[in-house]
Amino acid sequence: MEVFAYQGLIGLSSAMYLWLISAGLTIIFGVLGVLNFAHGSLFMLGAYLGYTLYGLVGVPFGLAVLGSMATVAVVGAGVERGLLRPLYGLDPSYQLLLTFGLVLFVDDLAKLIWGGVFRIPPIPEWLQGSVTLFSRPYPIYNLFLIAVGLSVGVGLWWLFDRTWWGRAVRATASDREMAAALGIRTPTVFSSVFMLGSALAALGGALSTPVRPVAPGIGAAMIVQAFIITVIGGLGNLRGAFAGSLLVGVLSSYGTLWFPEFELFFIFAIMAAVLLVRPQGLFAR
Amino acid sequence: MRTVWLVAVVIGPLFGASWSAAGPATCPLGVAAIKLGVQGVASGPHADYGRQIEMGAQLAVEEINAAGGVLGCRLEMRFMDDENRPAVGVRNARFLVTEWGAHFLYGTDSSGVAMALGPVLRELDRIQFFTHAATHRLTEELVAQQKIKQIVRVSAPVYQDAVAAWLFRDRRDVRRWATIGADYEYGYATWAIFREQMRRLRPDVEFVGAAWAPFLTTDFSPHIAAVMATNPDGILATPWAGEAVTLLRQALLQGVFDRIKVWFQAMGGSVDVLEGISQEVREGRFQGKLYATSRYVHNWPNTETNRSFVSRFAKRWNRMPNYSAETTYSAVYITKAAVERARSLQTDRVIAALQGMRIETPAGLRVFRSEDHQFVYAVPAGKVVWDPRYPIPVLGELKVFDPKDYWRWPPFRPLELTK
C-alpha cells in the first residue's frame, strides 16, 4: 500500500509539469483557435531564461522564475501581434507551418546563444532535501511543484470565472464578432491570452531548470506530451487539461512500476483508450 | 608604399594558387588533399557529443598537417550534423563521398545511425571509422556476419559496461541488483551482458527490478521510485549525457544514496556528465557510492601520449576531452598509420594495412581485431571523486581489467536482448 501511495505521489508531481505546459497550450487553442507547435519552444525559452537569471546572474530562484515568465510573456505578445495576427483569416495550415518554423528557429537561436551543452544549475537551498512520506524520502522540490501546480489551477479558475477579463475572454472564445460588437477589444484579448499561455509555459520551463537538463530541443519532448493531454482532456478545455495531466502523470507513474516493459507505449495507450470512449476528449462539450 | 601594396595584391593570389597547385605534386597519392568526412549529433540535447567528435578530429588534422601531413599529403576535413537521425546520417555520408569527395568517414553517435550507414558504406566503398555508436550489432552482425568490410570501430562498444560485474565481484554486501535502463537497444544490451557476467562471477546475486526510460526522458522520478520499491543494493544505470545528470540529481532528491550501497552509471565517466554533477561530487552527496566507466577517461592511462593529448586538447578548446573526442582523434591517427603503410587510399589496401595493427593512442594500446574490425583496448572503471588537480570530478580508485575477461569475442553467438 505504501509503495502504491508513494508512486502515486511521484506521479502527481510529474503531472504538475504537464499541467503547466498543457494549460497554456489549451488556453491559446480555446480562445485563439491556434494549435501552437511552438509552445514547447516557449517552455524551453523559459527554462533558458530561468537558468540564465538564477544559474548565471545569481538572481534568487523565485525572482528568476518571475523574470523568465515576464520575458517570455513579452516574447509571446510579439509572436502573436507580429506573426500570428496576419494569419488569423487564412487556412489553419499556415499557422501550423509558422509555429513549426518557430520551433526550428528558437532551437537554433538557443544553440547560438547558450551553446549545445546542457545546463543544470544547483537546486535552491530552501528546496533541497526531503521529508518522509509513506516510509520513504519524498523530495521537497516535488512538494513545491505540486503546490505551484495546484495554485496555478486555482488562480486560473479565479481569473477566468471571477474577473471581468475572464468573462471577456470567454465571450471572445464563444463568439468573436459578438464580443467585438459588445465593445470588447478582441485583439487585446488575443494578445493577453497568448501572453498568459506563454508565461505558463515559461513557468514550467523555469521550474524545471534545477532538476531537468536545459538544452536545445527539450521543448519538442514536452510538446508531444502536452498535445496528448489536451486531446485527452478536450481541445481548448482547461479543466480537461488539468484532468488529462493528472491522468497521464499518475497512470504513467504506475505504468513504470507495474508494466516497465510498456513504458513507451503507456501514454499512447491512455490516449487511445480515452479517444475510443470519448473521441472529443473527456471534458469537451 | 602604394606600389608595394599593389604588388602584394597582384602577386599574393598568384602565390597562393601556385602553393595549392603544388599540393598534388608533393602528395604521392595523387590527390590535392586527403578528405575526411566527419559527422555526429550537433543539435538537440546531445549536441555536445558531436561537438566533441568535431574537436577531436580537428585537433588531429591540425597536428598532422603541421607535421607535414600524411606521406606529404594535406588533410582536409568537413563536419556535418547527423541530428541523431539515420536518414540524415545516410544522406550526409552520400553527400560527403559523392559530392564532396571524402576518402574516409568518421564519427556518429547513434547506434541507429551507425546501423543504417553500414550497407551504404559497402555501396560507396568508403571506410567509416566509428567513434561512438556502441551497438554490438555493428561489428558482430554487419562485419563478422555480413562482411561489410568498410566498417571499422575505434571506440569501445557496449561490452565495456560489463566491467561493472568485475568491479563489484568482491562486494559480497551487494547482492540485489536493479537497473534504470535506457529504453532502447543500448540499455537492454548493457543489462543483458552485465547479468551474464555477474551470473558467472557471483551466482548468489539476484536481479530484483528494472525500469526503462525512453530516449529524452526528463523526469526519472517514477523510474527511481519504482526501482527503489524493490530494495536493491546496487543500481546499474544506462541513460547518458544530460539524461545521466538529470537521473543522478533526481536520485539524490529521493534520498537514494542513503539507501543503496553502489550505483554504477555506465557512461558516467563522460566529461559532460562529470561537469554536470560537479557540485554534488564536491559536496560528497553521493557518499562515495557512485561508480562509472566510459569509452575513455582523460586521467588514464598515465602515459606521456595521454597527458600530452589532454594538455593540447584543453589548450586548444578550453575543455577536457570527452571519449568521443579521443576516439575520433585516435581514428584520424589510425588512418594516418594505415595509409602510410598501404601507400594508397584504396579501401582494400587500407583495410589490409589495418590487419594486425597495434597502435599507441591516448587511450592506451589499441589492437585491431580482424574478425569484426573492432579495435580492442582497456578502459578502467572507478569511483567518481573530486580531485583538486582537475577542474571537474574524475574517476578515481581506478581498476583496469583485461578486455579478454569481459568483452565478447568471436565466434559471436546472438545476444538475447530482453527487458
Side-chain angles (χ1 to χ4, degrees):
Chain A
M1 187 60 198
E2 284 190 330
V3 168
F4 176 80
Y6 187 88
Q7 196 74 20
L9 210 52
I10 285 288
L12 188 60
S13 64
S14 306
M16 289 303 132
Y17 275 118
L18 300 174
W19 157 236
L20 291 177
I21 189 165
S22 54
L25 187 69
T26 210
I27 288 170
I28 289 171
F29 181 81
V31 179
L32 279 70
V34 173
L35 206 51
N36 183 16
F37 264 118
H39 199 68
S41 303
L42 298 171
F43 172 90
M44 182 186 73
L45 208 54
Y48 267 119
L49 289 168
Y51 158 75
T52 305
L53 292 171
Y54 165 65
L56 294 181
V57 181
V59 172
F61 184 63
L63 286 178
V65 172
L66 291 175
S68 162
M69 288 173 69
T71 313
V72 175
V74 172
V75 171
V79 168
E80 195 276 331
R81 288 194 173 201
L83 301 174
L84 280 170
R85 197 167 286 184
L87 304 182
Y88 285 149
L90 303 177
D91 188 272
S93 58
Y94 286 95
Q95 294 171 2
L96 290 179
L97 277 174
L98 174 81
T99 54
F100 185 69
L102 277 174
V103 172
L104 303 176
F105 175 76
V106 176
D107 264 12
D108 275 358
L109 188 69
K111 208 168 110 187
L112 206 66
I113 297 172
W114 288 282
V117 184
F118 61 84
R119 319 273 178 179
I120 311 184
I123 297 169
E125 263 183 47
W126 57 283
L127 290 171
Q128 286 182 10
S130 56
V131 292
T132 302
L133 289 176
F134 307 109
S135 308
R136 285 165 68 180
Y138 191 84
I140 290 172
Y141 199 86
N142 291 39
L143 285 176
F144 168 70
L145 274 177
I146 293 171
V148 172
L150 294 177
S151 305
V152 166
V154 172
L156 288 176
W157 166 79
W158 175 80
L159 197 60
F160 284 107
D161 272 36
R162 292 286 182 271
T163 66
W164 182 89
W165 181 83
R167 282 194 288 274
V169 169
R170 282 186 286 135
T172 307
S174 174
D175 190 329
R176 287 179 201 184
E177 288 176 3
M178 183 61 79
L182 291 170
I184 294 171
R185 297 179 62 186
T186 51
T188 309
V189 168
F190 278 17
S191 292
S192 58
V193 165
F194 205 91
M195 286 175 79
L196 175 66
S198 305
L200 286 171
L203 174 63
L207 287 178
S208 76
T209 51
V211 288
R212 296 176 175 212
V214 186
I218 56 164
M222 292 301 293
I223 197 68
V224 173
Q225 286 182 312
F227 270 126
I228 290 172
I229 285 161
T230 49
V231 167
I232 287 174
L235 280 165
N237 190 296
L238 205 53
R239 277 186 305 159
F242 187 74
S245 302
L246 287 181
L247 201 66
V248 169
V250 175
L251 287 185
S252 289
S253 183
Y254 286 129
T256 305
L257 179 68
W258 291 325
F259 314 106
E261 295 85 357
F262 305 115
E263 155 92 29
L264 206 56
F265 155 81
F266 208 73
I267 186 169
F268 295 103
I270 297 169
M271 182 174 74
V274 169
L275 291 183
L276 276 173
V277 181
R278 271 184 74 84
Q280 70 275 39
L282 287 175
F283 284 78
R285 292 188 186 93
Chain B
M1 189 64 191
R2 272 182 65 191
T3 315
V4 173
W5 275 109
L6 195 64
V7 169
V9 166
V10 174
I11 299 293
L14 292 176
F15 183 78
S18 64
W19 180 84
S20 65
T26 58
C27 172
L29 301 173
V31 293
I34 300 173
K35 292 187 166 185
L36 316 183
V38 186
Q39 56 174 326
V41 54
S43 50
H46 297 84
D48 193 42
Y49 284 75
R51 176 75 186 126
Q52 288 271 356
I53 284 178
E54 185 181 10
M55 290 190 290
Q58 196 170 328
L59 182 64
V61 166
E62 287 170 2
E63 286 178 4
I64 291 169
N65 280 342
V70 178
L71 297 172
C73 309
R74 191 171 52 86
L75 297 183
E76 190 179 326
M77 75 167 258
R78 178 166 182 159
F79 178 83
M80 295 184 82
D81 179 8
D82 67 26
E83 302 172 25
N84 249 355
R85 290 161 58 193
V88 178
V90 167
R91 195 174 66 213
N92 287 351
R94 288 190 187 283
F95 169 81
L96 286 166
V97 173
T98 57
E99 302 289 323
W100 186 65
H103 297 101
F104 298 100
L105 299 171
Y106 301 82
T108 225
D109 302 273
S110 151
S111 292
V113 175
M115 291 300 286
L117 278 172
V120 179
L121 295 172
R122 174 150 56 191
E123 177 199 319
L124 297 170
D125 196 23
R126 284 291 185 282
I127 297 171
Q128 165 135 0
F129 293 89
F130 286 89
T131 60
H132 186 179
T135 175
H136 61 291
R137 294 173 54 217
L138 179 70
T139 41
E140 293 185 13
E141 287 180 19
L142 298 192
V143 183
Q145 278 180 27
Q146 296 180 30
K147 308 294 180 198
I148 302 180
K149 61 188 177 188
Q150 293 83 356
I151 293 170
V152 175
R153 180 157 48 199
V154 176
S155 52
V158 65
Y159 313 150
Q160 175 58 27
D161 300 347
V163 76
W166 289 76
L167 187 67
F168 298 117
R169 70 181 159 167
D170 297 326
R171 287 287 300 266
R172 295 283 153 186
D173 57 328
V174 184
R175 277 191 58 246
R176 296 169 60 83
W177 278 94
T179 189
I180 298 176
D183 199 0
Y184 43 93
E185 188 196 280
Y186 167 57
Y188 315 148
T190 292
W191 187 228
I193 59 174
F194 169 74
R195 279 183 299 171
E196 191 178 276
Q197 291 281 334
M198 219 26 158
R199 280 195 192 104
R200 192 157 66 84
L201 297 169
R202 287 276 306 278
D204 62 315
V205 156
E206 291 176 72
F207 303 102
V208 294
W212 300 99
F215 193 55
L216 298 179
T217 292
T218 54
D219 183 9
F220 289 96
S221 319
H223 307 86
I224 297 165
V227 159
M228 289 309 292
T230 65
N231 291 317
D233 299 320
I235 291 177
L236 174 80
T238 44
W240 52 286
E243 289 178 44
V245 178
T246 310
L247 170 62
L248 287 166
R249 284 267 187 102
Q250 294 176 1
L252 280 174
L253 284 176
Q254 283 194 39
V256 168
F257 285 84
D258 296 328
R259 298 177 60 209
I260 58 161
K261 290 167 183 159
V262 296
W263 177 300
F264 187 80
Q265 190 69 42
M267 303 292 280
S270 178
V271 162
D272 59 329
V273 177
L274 294 170
E275 286 171 343
I277 56 173
S278 197
Q279 185 172 335
E280 289 79 2
V281 175
R282 205 179 329 196
E283 292 170 356
R285 297 187 59 203
F286 296 110
Q287 306 176 33
K289 296 174 180 177
L290 178 59
Y291 295 80
T293 188
S294 188
R295 311 303 185 222
Y296 157 79
V297 290
H298 60 80
N299 57 322
W300 192 90
N302 188 18
T303 59
E304 175 52 29
T305 308
N306 189 39
R307 286 194 303 271
S308 165
F309 162 69
V310 173
S311 159
R312 290 194 310 275
F313 189 95
K315 192 175 166 192
R316 177 70 177 86
W317 302 114
N318 203 25
R319 292 277 308 277
M320 284 294 178
N322 198 351
Y323 58 86
S324 46
E326 190 279 337
T327 54
T328 314
Y329 175 89
S330 293
V332 176
Y333 272 94
I334 286 169
T335 312
K336 177 179 185 291
V339 170
E340 284 174 349
R341 195 187 281 185
R343 300 194 72 79
S344 167
L345 297 173
Q346 282 180 21
T347 297
D348 282 337
R349 290 195 183 181
V350 174
I351 289 171
L354 286 169
Q355 303 299 323
M357 182 179 281
R358 299 166 63 83
I359 185 166
E360 193 59 38
T361 62
L365 179 69
R366 278 183 161 94
V367 179
F368 184 75
R369 189 162 72 180
S370 58
E371 292 93 333
D372 63 341
H373 291 190
Q374 170 70 53
F375 272 93
V376 178
Y377 63 107
V379 185
K383 186 185 286 187
V384 178
V385 295
W386 183 260
D387 183 334
R389 289 176 297 171
Y390 295 97
I392 58 172
V394 292
L395 297 191
E397 301 177 19
L398 292 173
K399 291 197 175 156
V400 188
F401 301 94
D402 190 335
K404 282 203 175 82
D405 290 332
Y406 63 95
W407 279 36
R408 283 163 59 83
W409 292 85
F412 300 108
R413 54 187 170 73
L415 186 61
E416 198 177 318
L417 297 181
T418 49
K419 283 190 180 181

Short mmCIF file of all heavy atoms in Angstrom, two decimals, chain B residues 356-382:
data_model
loop_
_atom_site.label_atom_id
_atom_site.label_comp_id
_atom_site.label_asym_id
_atom_site.label_seq_id
_atom_site.Cartn_x
_atom_site.Cartn_y
_atom_site.Cartn_z
N GLY B 356 46.33 -6.63 -38.06
CA GLY B 356 47.45 -6.79 -37.12
C GLY B 356 47.93 -5.49 -36.51
O GLY B 356 48.94 -5.47 -35.80
N MET B 357 47.21 -4.40 -36.79
CA MET B 357 47.70 -3.11 -36.28
C MET B 357 47.63 -3.04 -34.76
O MET B 357 46.63 -3.40 -34.15
CB MET B 357 46.90 -1.95 -36.90
CG MET B 357 47.42 -0.59 -36.41
SD MET B 357 46.53 0.80 -37.14
CE MET B 357 47.28 0.90 -38.75
N ARG B 358 48.71 -2.61 -34.15
CA ARG B 358 48.77 -2.32 -32.72
C ARG B 358 49.28 -0.89 -32.63
O ARG B 358 50.37 -0.60 -33.10
CB ARG B 358 49.74 -3.26 -32.00
CG ARG B 358 49.35 -4.74 -32.10
CD ARG B 358 50.49 -5.64 -31.69
NE ARG B 358 50.88 -5.46 -30.30
CZ ARG B 358 50.29 -6.04 -29.27
NH1 ARG B 358 49.27 -6.87 -29.49
NH2 ARG B 358 50.69 -5.83 -28.04
N ILE B 359 48.50 -0.01 -32.11
CA ILE B 359 48.87 1.40 -32.18
C ILE B 359 48.69 2.07 -30.82
O ILE B 359 47.69 1.87 -30.13
CB ILE B 359 48.07 2.13 -33.29
CG1 ILE B 359 48.54 3.57 -33.44
CG2 ILE B 359 46.57 2.06 -33.07
CD1 ILE B 359 48.04 4.25 -34.73
N GLU B 360 49.68 2.84 -30.44
CA GLU B 360 49.63 3.57 -29.17
C GLU B 360 48.79 4.84 -29.37
O GLU B 360 49.05 5.63 -30.28
CB GLU B 360 51.06 3.94 -28.75
CG GLU B 360 51.20 4.42 -27.33
CD GLU B 360 50.74 3.39 -26.29
OE1 GLU B 360 50.97 2.19 -26.48
OE2 GLU B 360 50.10 3.83 -25.30
N THR B 361 47.76 5.00 -28.56
CA THR B 361 46.88 6.16 -28.66
C THR B 361 46.72 6.76 -27.27
O THR B 361 47.13 6.14 -26.28
CB THR B 361 45.49 5.74 -29.19
OG1 THR B 361 44.91 4.82 -28.25
CG2 THR B 361 45.56 5.10 -30.56
N PRO B 362 46.09 7.93 -27.14
CA PRO B 362 45.89 8.49 -25.80
C PRO B 362 45.19 7.52 -24.85
O PRO B 362 45.51 7.44 -23.67
CB PRO B 362 45.03 9.73 -26.07
CG PRO B 362 45.45 10.16 -27.44
CD PRO B 362 45.70 8.89 -28.20
N ALA B 363 44.25 6.71 -25.36
CA ALA B 363 43.53 5.76 -24.50
C ALA B 363 44.36 4.54 -24.17
O ALA B 363 43.93 3.68 -23.40
CB ALA B 363 42.24 5.33 -25.18
N GLY B 364 45.55 4.44 -24.73
CA GLY B 364 46.41 3.28 -24.50
C GLY B 364 46.59 2.49 -25.79
O GLY B 364 46.26 2.96 -26.88
N LEU B 365 47.06 1.26 -25.62
CA LEU B 365 47.32 0.43 -26.81
C LEU B 365 46.01 -0.06 -27.40
O LEU B 365 45.18 -0.65 -26.71
CB LEU B 365 48.18 -0.78 -26.40
CG LEU B 365 48.50 -1.74 -27.55
CD1 LEU B 365 49.46 -1.10 -28.55
CD2 LEU B 365 49.08 -3.04 -27.01
N ARG B 366 45.82 0.20 -28.69
CA ARG B 366 44.64 -0.32 -29.39
C ARG B 366 45.10 -1.40 -30.35
O ARG B 366 46.08 -1.21 -31.09
CB ARG B 366 43.93 0.79 -30.18
CG ARG B 366 43.00 1.66 -29.34
CD ARG B 366 42.29 2.66 -30.24
NE ARG B 366 41.09 3.23 -29.64
CZ ARG B 366 41.05 4.36 -28.96
NH1 ARG B 366 42.17 5.06 -28.76
NH2 ARG B 366 39.92 4.82 -28.46
N VAL B 367 44.38 -2.52 -30.35
CA VAL B 367 44.75 -3.66 -31.20
C VAL B 367 43.57 -3.97 -32.11
O VAL B 367 42.44 -4.13 -31.64
CB VAL B 367 45.11 -4.89 -30.34
CG1 VAL B 367 45.46 -6.08 -31.23
CG2 VAL B 367 46.27 -4.57 -29.40
N PHE B 368 43.84 -4.07 -33.41
CA PHE B 368 42.78 -4.32 -34.39
C PHE B 368 42.37 -5.79 -34.34
O PHE B 368 43.22 -6.68 -34.42
CB PHE B 368 43.29 -3.96 -35.80
CG PHE B 368 42.26 -4.09 -36.87
CD1 PHE B 368 41.26 -3.14 -37.01
CD2 PHE B 368 42.29 -5.15 -37.78
CE1 PHE B 368 40.31 -3.24 -38.02
CE2 PHE B 368 41.34 -5.26 -38.79
CZ PHE B 368 40.35 -4.30 -38.90
N ARG B 369 41.06 -6.05 -34.21
CA ARG B 369 40.55 -7.43 -34.22
C ARG B 369 40.00 -7.69 -35.61
O ARG B 369 38.99 -7.09 -36.00
CB ARG B 369 39.47 -7.58 -33.13
CG ARG B 369 39.03 -8.99 -32.90
CD ARG B 369 38.32 -9.15 -31.56
NE ARG B 369 36.99 -8.54 -31.56
CZ ARG B 369 36.16 -8.55 -30.50
NH1 ARG B 369 36.56 -9.10 -29.36
NH2 ARG B 369 34.97 -8.00 -30.56
N SER B 370 40.64 -8.59 -36.33
CA SER B 370 40.33 -8.71 -37.75
C SER B 370 38.95 -9.30 -38.02
O SER B 370 38.31 -8.98 -39.03
CB SER B 370 41.40 -9.55 -38.45
OG SER B 370 41.46 -10.81 -37.84
N GLU B 371 38.44 -10.15 -37.11
CA GLU B 371 37.17 -10.83 -37.38
C GLU B 371 36.00 -9.84 -37.51
O GLU B 371 35.08 -10.05 -38.28
CB GLU B 371 36.82 -11.82 -36.26
CG GLU B 371 37.74 -13.02 -36.19
CD GLU B 371 38.88 -12.79 -35.21
OE1 GLU B 371 39.27 -11.62 -35.01
OE2 GLU B 371 39.39 -13.78 -34.67
N ASP B 372 36.04 -8.77 -36.70
CA ASP B 372 34.90 -7.84 -36.72
C ASP B 372 35.35 -6.38 -36.86
O ASP B 372 34.54 -5.45 -36.64
CB ASP B 372 34.03 -8.00 -35.47
CG ASP B 372 34.77 -7.67 -34.18
OD1 ASP B 372 36.01 -7.66 -34.21
OD2 ASP B 372 34.11 -7.41 -33.17
N HIS B 373 36.60 -6.15 -37.18
CA HIS B 373 37.13 -4.79 -37.38
C HIS B 373 36.93 -3.90 -36.15
O HIS B 373 36.64 -2.71 -36.28
CB HIS B 373 36.51 -4.14 -38.62
CG HIS B 373 36.94 -4.78 -39.90
ND1 HIS B 373 36.68 -4.24 -41.13
CD2 HIS B 373 37.65 -5.90 -40.13
CE1 HIS B 373 37.18 -5.02 -42.07
NE2 HIS B 373 37.77 -6.04 -41.49
N GLN B 374 37.04 -4.50 -34.99
CA GLN B 374 36.90 -3.75 -33.74
C GLN B 374 38.29 -3.54 -33.12
O GLN B 374 39.04 -4.49 -32.97
CB GLN B 374 36.01 -4.55 -32.77
CG GLN B 374 35.97 -4.02 -31.35
CD GLN B 374 35.22 -2.69 -31.23
OE1 GLN B 374 34.10 -2.56 -31.68
NE2 GLN B 374 35.88 -1.69 -30.65
N PHE B 375 38.61 -2.29 -32.80
CA PHE B 375 39.85 -2.05 -32.05
C PHE B 375 39.60 -2.37 -30.58
O PHE B 375 38.65 -1.88 -29.98
CB PHE B 375 40.31 -0.60 -32.22
CG PHE B 375 41.19 -0.39 -33.42
CD1 PHE B 375 40.64 -0.01 -34.64
CD2 PHE B 375 42.56 -0.61 -33.34
CE1 PHE B 375 41.45 0.17 -35.75
CE2 PHE B 375 43.37 -0.43 -34.45
CZ PHE B 375 42.81 -0.04 -35.67
N VAL B 376 40.48 -3.21 -30.02
CA VAL B 376 40.33 -3.64 -28.63
C VAL B 376 41.29 -2.83 -27.76
O VAL B 376 42.46 -2.67 -28.10
CB VAL B 376 40.63 -5.15 -28.49
CG1 VAL B 376 40.52 -5.59 -27.04
CG2 VAL B 376 39.71 -5.97 -29.39
N TYR B 377 40.79 -2.31 -26.65
CA TYR B 377 41.64 -1.59 -25.69
C TYR B 377 40.94 -1.58 -24.34
O TYR B 377 39.73 -1.78 -24.26
CB TYR B 377 41.94 -0.16 -26.17
CG TYR B 377 40.73 0.74 -26.32
CD1 TYR B 377 40.49 1.76 -25.40
CD2 TYR B 377 39.83 0.58 -27.37
CE1 TYR B 377 39.38 2.60 -25.53
CE2 TYR B 377 38.73 1.41 -27.50
CZ TYR B 377 38.51 2.42 -26.59
OH TYR B 377 37.41 3.23 -26.72
N ALA B 378 41.71 -1.37 -23.31
CA ALA B 378 41.15 -1.41 -21.96
C ALA B 378 40.75 -0.02 -21.50
O ALA B 378 41.47 0.95 -21.75
CB ALA B 378 42.17 -2.00 -20.99
N VAL B 379 39.60 0.06 -20.88
CA VAL B 379 39.17 1.31 -20.24
C VAL B 379 38.87 0.98 -18.78
O VAL B 379 38.16 0.01 -18.51
CB VAL B 379 37.90 1.89 -20.91
CG1 VAL B 379 37.56 3.25 -20.30
CG2 VAL B 379 38.08 2.02 -22.41
N PRO B 380 39.38 1.75 -17.85
CA PRO B 380 39.15 1.42 -16.45
C PRO B 380 37.75 1.82 -15.99
O PRO B 380 37.03 2.54 -16.68
CB PRO B 380 40.20 2.26 -15.71
CG PRO B 380 40.44 3.42 -16.60
CD PRO B 380 40.21 2.96 -18.01
N ALA B 381 37.39 1.34 -14.81
CA ALA B 381 36.18 1.80 -14.13
C ALA B 381 36.62 2.27 -12.75
O ALA B 381 37.67 1.84 -12.25
CB ALA B 381 35.18 0.65 -14.00
N GLY B 382 35.84 3.12 -12.14
CA GLY B 382 36.25 3.60 -10.82
C GLY B 382 35.18 4.43 -10.15
O GLY B 382 34.06 4.58 -10.67
#
